[in-house]
């Protein structure tokens, strides 16, 4: 290769077979062309076949692939720095050796950088095999962005295109002592120094792979190592950016992501000494950087956990983490304010202010409402030809006088509601008017509200979900009533004489209560249409089939079409 390449791709490698093969194939097949590309791969003491695979590619593409072998350094920082010393491209791009690129990735990013004089270009990234990648930055088309734009702080990995002239001007390198997150200081400073940051969002450039054994380094590091490295990232960022909205926008990421991950479901199982150290470390960072702006921009769940850690309330923090999945959270409505009653709420021993627990307009509390919504009783009430479904449901909201109803709703819940168990409805969502009788009473323990509903059934063949609709902090939530493991009333026959219907209360495969009503003896024509209306069939094709069946039957009976007759 005589002229300097347009882009040098840096690959730090340690035991990533067989993923490494797909990674390298995605690089040598880039549409930018191998004559405009160099690949600098550093084998950091791999003990699998990664080193041999790198040598194989170097032999196949000697003008494109450079390979360096070195003793294991303990992380990706040292091999990345080594590769930077050898890179000669106008731009440098970093890729994880277990990830891969879209074919046009480098061509598109280099073209955009040249056209717009960008120092940093972020190509659209997606996760595979369950790997999570924040998508806010890629919701709009290709454009230029600022450091404090929503989404930018959540893409601090080094998997970007950097102008190498800028990298060398500011001597940007990776801190080799950091066990995890060593790419963040490099990326943060590059974003701060860059004259222009651009996004290529109209093409998927990068596919981030979560290995089948979850052995990516992020998943292996222990809690205290992650805490130490997060503190270094935050202090480094604070040293580059003066206090204010831009610093808050960046550091909010670390409170919402890295620090919040330290106090997730696995936190209560840690040794108490480790839990105390984690809370003390979070407290030091919160004392320094947890501004009102950061606090109010976080969702209430993470906000409360950070505040409990900051207050040293280790036991209350464990209780909040353990109880929420099973019991949800009770929400206290006081006029225009709504508070999440997590452990520590209005506890004078801890002394946290109410605003820490307040549900704000941007919060979604679907995942906290669903576990606390319980079916207490359900039955049929039959009077004459009519049948009424009655149910009592415990809803984890107190202080509500209206805005809570039970409905039978047609249509499945969207898949996005499966994980939280409920969903926040859009402001323009049209909710049908409730039918029947609805009575709201405080629960005897004062920790919830009990909704009693009596809903007359219609003479229809339909399956309808039993769902609670409740208003919390200016938003309406749709919560399917769970019924797994609970007794359901026996199927009931009802209806007009000669035209009976059947009603069943069933629990579907997602554990939600569904009311199934159907005509017991529908007309034969309806049965034929129902049998023919298989999923995916078109009515026109069904009609053609029906005519064909009829013609065959007539022919078998000896019927012949009159000569010269025309179809009318």
């Amino acid at each position: 290769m005589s002229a300097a390449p347009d882009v040098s791709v840096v690959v730090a490698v340690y035991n990533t077979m067989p993923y490494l093969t797909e990674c390298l194939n995605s690089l040598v097949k880039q549409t930018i062309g191998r004559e405009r590309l160099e690949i600098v791969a550093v084998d950091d003491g791999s003990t699998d076949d990664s080193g041999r695979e790198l040598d194989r590619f170097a032999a196949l593409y000697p003008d494109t692939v450079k390979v360096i072998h070195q003793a294991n350094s303990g992380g990706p920082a040292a091999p990345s720095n080594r590769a930077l010393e050898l890179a000669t491209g106008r731009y440098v791009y970093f890729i994880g050796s277990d990830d891969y690129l879209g074919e046009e990735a480098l061509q598109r990013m280099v073209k955009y950088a040249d056209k717009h004089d960008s120092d940093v270009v972020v190509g659209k990234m997606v996760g595979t095999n369950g790997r999570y990648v924040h998508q806010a930055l890629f919701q709009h088309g290709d454009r230029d962005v600022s450091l404090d734009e929503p989404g930018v702080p959540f893409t601090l990995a080094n998997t970007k295109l950097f102008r190498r002239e800028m990298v060398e001007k500011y001597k940007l390198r990776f801190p080799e002592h950091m066990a995890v997150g060593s790419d963040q200081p490099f990326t943060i400073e590059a974003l701060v120094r860059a004259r222009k940051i651009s996004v290529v969002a109209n093409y998927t450039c990068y596919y981030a792979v979560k290995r089948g054994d979850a052995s990516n380094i992020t998943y292996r590091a222990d809690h205290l190592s992650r805490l130490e490295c997060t503190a270094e990232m935050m202090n480094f960022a604070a040293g580059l950016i003066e206090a204010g909205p831009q610093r808050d926008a960046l550091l909010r990421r670390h409170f919402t992501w890295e620090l919040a991950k330290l106090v997730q479901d696995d936190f209560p199982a840690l040794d108490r000494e480790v839990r105390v150290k984690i809370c003390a470390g979070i407290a030091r960072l919160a004392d320094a950087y947890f501004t009102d702006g950061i606090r109010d921009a976080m969702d209430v769940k993470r906000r409360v956990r950070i505040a409990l850690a900051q207050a040293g309330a280790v036991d209350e923090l464990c209780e909040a983490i353990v109880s929420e999945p099973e019991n949800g959270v009770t929400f206290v409505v006081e006029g225009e304010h709504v508070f999440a009653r997590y452990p520590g709420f209005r506890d004078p021993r801890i002394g946290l202010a109410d605003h820490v627990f307040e549900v704000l307009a941007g919060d979604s509390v679907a995942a906290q409402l669903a576990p606390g919504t319980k079916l207490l009783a359900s039955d049929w009430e039959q009077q004459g030809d009519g049948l009424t479904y009655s149910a009592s449901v415990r809803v984890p909201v107190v202080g509500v006088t209206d805005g809570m109803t039970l409905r039978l709703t047609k249509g499945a819940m969207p898949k996005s509601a499966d994980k939280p168990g409920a969903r926040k409805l859009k402001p323009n969502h049209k909710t049908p008017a409730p039918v029947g009788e609805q009575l709201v009473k405080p629960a005897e323990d004062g920790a919830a509200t009990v909704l009693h509903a009596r809903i007359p059934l219609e003479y229809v063949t339909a399956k309808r979900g039993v769902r609670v609709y409740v208003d919390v902090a200016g938003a309406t939530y749709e919560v399917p009533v769970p019924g797994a493991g609970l007794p359901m009333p026996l199927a009931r026959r009802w209806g007009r004489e000669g035209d009976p219907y059947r009603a069943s209360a069933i629990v579907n495969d997602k554990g939600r209560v569904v009311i199934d009503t159907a005509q017991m003896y529908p007309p034969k024509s309806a049965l034929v249409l129902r049998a023919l209306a298989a999923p995916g069939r078109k009515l026109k094709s069904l009609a053609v089939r029906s005519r064909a069946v009829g013609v065959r039957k007539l022919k078998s009976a000896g019927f012949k079409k009159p000569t010269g007759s025309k179809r009318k």
Side-chain angles (χ1 to χ4, degrees), residues 311-335:
V314 180
D315 294 336
E316 287 76 11
L317 176 57
C318 289
E319 183 184 351
I321 294 169
V322 170
S323 65
E324 184 173 327
E326 182 176 351
N327 303 314
V329 177
T330 296
F331 293 92
V332 181
V333 180
E334 295 180 353

Side-chain angles (χ1 to χ4, degrees), residues 475-541:
T476 300
Y477 291 85
E478 182 179 21
V479 188
V481 174
L486 299 177
M488 293 290 114
L490 297 176
R492 182 68 63 91
R493 170 176 169 157
W494 101 103
R496 297 160 292 213
E497 185 176 353
D499 187 17
Y501 276 72
R502 170 193 49 79
S504 302
I506 60 176
V507 178
N508 67 13
D509 58 358
K510 294 181 179 178
R512 301 164 182 170
V513 181
V514 174
I515 302 300
D516 183 4
T517 57
Q519 195 173 13
M520 292 187 67
Y521 309 116
K524 290 184 179 179
S525 58
L527 287 172
V528 171
L529 286 174
R530 196 183 310 166
L532 289 173
R537 290 187 181 180
K538 295 182 179 179
L539 291 178
K540 183 177 179 181
S541 64

Side-chain angles (χ1 to χ4, degrees), residues 74-402:
S80 297
N81 287 338
R82 178 86 181 274
L84 274 177
E85 299 300 331
L86 300 174
T88 61
R90 294 189 298 119
Y91 298 97
V92 62
Y93 189 86
F94 298 89
I95 182 173
S97 59
D98 38 18
D99 302 331
Y100 60 94
L101 299 184
E103 285 187 354
E104 302 175 21
L106 296 177
Q107 182 180 18
R108 286 174 177 255
M109 287 186 285
V110 168
K111 181 178 179 180
Y112 199 95
D114 284 343
K115 181 179 179 180
H116 298 274
D117 200 26
S118 309
D119 283 337
V120 179
V121 178
V122 188
K124 181 179 179 180
M125 300 177 63
V126 299
T128 68
N129 198 29
R131 180 86 172 265
Y132 176 77
V133 174
H134 202 277
Q135 292 297 303
L137 188 61
F138 311 120
Q139 296 305 305
H140 309 288
D142 302 350
R143 68 200 192 284
D144 302 325
V145 297
S146 61
L147 178 59
D148 55 356
E149 179 165 328
V152 173
F154 288 88
T155 55
L156 296 183
N158 65 337
T159 47
K160 299 171 176 59
L161 189 79
F162 300 91
R163 188 178 296 276
R164 198 166 66 87
E165 181 184 8
M166 176 194 69
V167 171
E168 295 307 321
K169 176 180 178 180
Y170 295 104
K171 300 297 181 186
L172 303 184
R173 292 296 185 269
F174 299 89
E176 298 182 12
H177 63 281
M178 290 181 65
V180 293
S182 59
D183 55 344
Q184 281 204 31
F186 178 99
T187 306
I188 289 170
E189 185 166 5
L191 294 173
V192 170
R193 304 292 190 190
R195 296 166 300 161
K196 184 179 289 186
I197 306 166
S198 300
V199 178
V200 171
N202 290 332
Y203 177 81
T204 301
C205 295
Y206 196 101
Y207 294 84
V209 179
K210 182 177 179 180
R211 300 184 204 172
D213 60 358
S215 62
N216 307 58
I217 190 167
T218 304
Y219 302 94
R220 296 198 309 265
D222 64 59
H223 286 68
L224 292 178
S225 294
R226 285 153 50 199
L227 173 63
E228 181 181 354
C229 291
T230 301
E232 184 156 346
M233 297 173 201
M234 296 176 71
N235 292 331
F236 180 81
L240 285 173
I241 309 168
E242 63 182 18
Q246 192 175 66
R247 182 201 278 185
D248 282 357
L250 185 62
L251 296 185
R252 180 169 71 88
R253 173 244 162 81
H254 296 95
F255 282 107
T256 304
W257 195 246
E258 281 87 355
L259 293 182
K261 278 189 171 185
L262 297 176
V263 287
Q264 290 191 129
D265 295 347
D266 54 356
F267 176 81
L270 300 173
D271 290 342
R272 181 169 182 82
E273 182 181 357
V274 174
R275 283 182 270 144
V276 170
K277 287 181 178 179
I278 290 171
C279 287
I282 292 175
R284 286 191 293 272
L285 294 169
D287 290 345
Y289 306 125
F290 199 44
T291 64
D292 291 349
I294 293 176
R295 181 199 66 218
D296 293 345
M298 292 177 66
D299 62 280
V300 65
K301 173 180 175 177
R302 291 184 177 91
R303 185 194 322 140
V304 168
R305 291 186 183 185
I306 293 295
L308 288 172
Q310 184 181 11
V314 180
D315 294 336
E316 287 76 11
L317 176 57
C318 289
E319 183 184 351
I321 294 169
V322 170
S323 65
E324 184 173 327
E326 182 176 351
N327 303 314
V329 177
T330 296
F331 293 92
V332 181
V333 180
E334 295 180 353
E336 296 181 356
H337 300 279
V338 180
F339 304 98
R341 195 161 72 184
Y342 282 100
F345 177 61
R346 291 177 179 168
D347 186 335
R349 298 170 305 160
I350 299 173
L352 294 179
D354 278 3
H355 61 242
V356 169
F357 299 86
E358 186 165 4
V359 180
L360 303 176
D363 281 334
S364 178
V365 296
Q368 289 82 20
L369 282 169
T373 299
K374 310 283 187 183
L375 178 64
L376 302 178
S378 62
D379 208 347
W380 309 115
E381 297 178 10
Q382 192 164 359
Q383 290 184 335
D385 293 340
L387 186 68
T388 295
Y389 174 70
S390 66
S392 298
V393 180
R394 180 184 173 96
V395 184
V397 178
V398 299
V400 173
T401 55
D402 54 17

Side-chain angles (χ1 to χ4, degrees), residues 532 537-552 567:
L532 289 173
R537 290 187 181 180
K538 295 182 179 179
L539 291 178
K540 183 177 179 181
S541 64
L542 291 173
V544 170
R545 285 191 177 197
S546 299
R547 282 203 304 274
V549 170
V551 169
R552 284 198 298 272
R567 184 176 178 182

